[in-house]
Amino acid sequence: MRAFSLARALLALALAAPLPAQTTSAPAEGLRENPSRFHALVGARVITAPGKVIENGTVILRDGLIVEVGPGLPAPAGARVWNLAGRTVYAGFVESETVVGLPEEFRPPPPASGRSG
């Protein structure tokens, strides 16, 4: 008798569950976003490594990767141009949590030692 009740409960749950939505592989019609994946950051002060600075530099990015960095490079045809005059760009990954090379007055205090309580 108990097995029958369990089977009825499972059947009721299966019938009450929503059916999966039908999907289609047809292309989307109408307007949709198509952001550029080709960028030129121009006119910036570019720091390529500690102590190596390019004034009026250009950083060219394609699909999220840096393809070229140099002084005064023209923006390639088809790239979305970002005028960054007066700004500083680091051409690569910057570890925001490091204190390496940070002047002493800007370093955070060391973590408290010992236990509280």
Side-chain angles (χ1 to χ4, degrees):
M1 194 72 157
R2 187 167 186 223
F4 178 71
S5 297
L6 181 60
R8 274 180 65 183
L10 290 174
L11 179 61
L13 283 173
L15 292 175
L19 296 173
Q22 185 176 7
T23 59
T24 179
S25 60
E29 293 184 33
L31 298 176
R32 61 186 182 278
E33 284 191 46
N34 188 16
S36 175
R37 297 186 49 101
F38 188 28
H39 303 273
L41 313 178
V42 299
R45 178 176 181 252
V46 181
I47 299 176
T48 59
K52 295 184 180 179
V53 179
I54 299 173
E55 298 296 338
N56 190 30
T58 300
V59 179
I60 299 172
L61 304 147
R62 185 183 294 273
D63 296 325
L65 299 174
I66 298 171
V67 240
E68 191 173 2
V69 178
L73 294 175
R80 182 173 181 188
V81 178
W82 300 83
N83 183 356
L84 298 182
R87 301 197 181 191
T88 301
V89 173
Y90 292 87
F93 179 77
V94 176
E95 172 57 65
S96 63
E97 297 295 320
T98 188
V99 294
V100 174
L102 196 60
E104 195 64 41
E105 63 266 21
F106 296 114
R107 290 182 186 214
S113 61
R115 296 183 191 201
S116 62

